[in-house]
Amino acid sequence: KAGVTQTPRYLIKTRGQQVTLSCSPISGHRSVSWYQQTPGQGLQFLFEYFSETQRNKGNFPGRFSGRQFSNSRSEMNVSTLELGDSALYLCASSLGWTDSYEQYFGPGTRLTVT
Amino acid sequence: GQQVMQIPQYQHVQEGEDFTTYCNSSTTLSNIQWYKQRPGGHPVFLIQLVKSGEVKKQKRLTFQFGEAKKNSSLHITATQTTDVGTYFCAGLTNFGNQFYFGTGTSLTVIP
């Protein structure tokens, strides 16, 4: 079974721009969660989608948004990029709600904001 | 707010020595998961603990969930170079639907 895929793997953007990241979960998985990983803050939860509905949202500003499509693929958008948004963005898929099932992480998208 | 702390932040051990990382939550957890992230890689699920006082073993790895469900530990016996990486705990609170990841413990094994 193919693992979680994320595109693009690397991205360089300028402050003020916006960016869209994509995540394709493992086939059959209905839950997709997004995390931001930085050396200083560790892994921080952004949001979780299950069956196209946002189930939970972390403590991030409204510039961070996401959506999930009917095929469970998910996108994350960050508008008006700031230097502090530079991070590794990881998505994770699971069979069901993440509180009951293990999460499978993708390789991540490394975003650099200059 | 909810915090999940891990200690130590870094640990260097000689190959063959034991290693333990501790995870502490400010609130009671409904369950806890452990992940390993190799350098340059992504977190990989190791195990989930649900019951108070639960102990699970995977070969040289032993995982424990505290009686009060506010702490957990991962113990590795006789470390090997393949154990190198950062170990994260992720706790789910009783009233939340998201996992709070611990700060991680970076393990270096010296051959």
Side-chain angles (χ1 to χ4, degrees):
Chain A
K1 212 181 236 188
V4 178
T5 57
Q6 290 186 247
T7 56
R9 293 293 311 278
Y10 303 91
L11 206 50
I12 300 175
K13 288 285 189 178
T14 305
R15 196 171 37 180
Q17 288 185 315
Q18 76 163 18
V19 67
T20 299
L21 312 181
S22 180
C23 172
S24 292
I26 291 173
S27 177
H29 284 195
R30 297 170 65 189
S31 171
V32 173
S33 296
W34 287 89
Y35 294 87
Q36 181 194 65
Q37 186 172 31
T38 59
Q41 298 295 320
L43 267 159
Q44 292 190 289
F45 172 79
L46 281 154
F47 25 67
E48 179 190 3
Y49 286 88
F50 182 82
S51 294
E52 300 180 68
T53 301
Q54 187 180 87
R55 181 165 173 256
N56 204 3
K57 191 177 191 304
N59 190 26
F60 277 81
R63 300 184 297 106
F64 292 81
S65 62
R67 58 178 175 168
Q68 186 180 33
F69 302 95
S70 57
N71 61 358
S72 293
R73 190 178 71 85
S74 177
E75 286 182 348
M76 189 192 98
N77 185 76
V78 188
S79 63
T80 320
L81 284 165
E82 300 177 0
L83 295 179
D85 297 333
S86 294
L88 179 66
Y89 289 89
L90 294 159
C91 88
S93 76
S94 61
L95 200 56
W97 288 359
T98 54
D99 48 356
S100 301
Y101 296 92
E102 63 198 74
Q103 299 179 75
Y104 293 84
F105 283 82
T109 294
R110 173 77 60 185
L111 172 65
T112 302
V113 182
T114 61
Chain B
Q2 170 66 27
Q3 275 197 328
V4 178
M5 304 300 293
Q6 271 182 265
I7 55 170
Q9 188 175 358
Y10 302 97
Q11 184 79 60
H12 291 68
V13 299
Q14 288 288 142
E15 188 172 17
E17 291 182 337
D18 292 357
F19 159 78
T20 304
T21 173
Y22 301 90
C23 181
N24 295 292
S25 170
S26 55
T27 59
T28 303
L29 303 171
S30 62
N31 65 36
I32 195 160
Q33 296 180 346
W34 283 91
Y35 292 81
K36 175 184 177 182
Q37 185 173 21
R38 293 182 186 273
H42 55 273
V44 174
F45 175 84
L46 294 176
I47 209 157
Q48 175 167 283
L49 304 171
V50 180
K51 299 176 184 175
S52 168
E54 188 171 14
V55 178
K56 286 189 177 181
K57 291 189 177 184
Q58 287 180 350
K59 296 182 181 178
R60 296 179 294 104
L61 278 60
T62 301
F63 303 84
Q64 292 191 17
F65 201 7
E67 294 289 341
K69 299 185 77 174
K70 294 179 76 172
N71 56 73
S72 180
S73 66
L74 158 58
H75 180 81
I76 302 178
T77 305
T79 54
Q80 300 174 359
T81 54
T82 53
D83 295 326
V84 165
T86 300
Y87 292 84
F88 292 96
C89 62
L92 183 73
T93 62
N94 283 327
F95 47 82
N97 295 319
Q98 61 169 286
F99 276 97
Y100 291 90
F101 273 78
T103 44
T105 296
S106 175
L107 172 64
T108 300
V109 179
I110 305 163

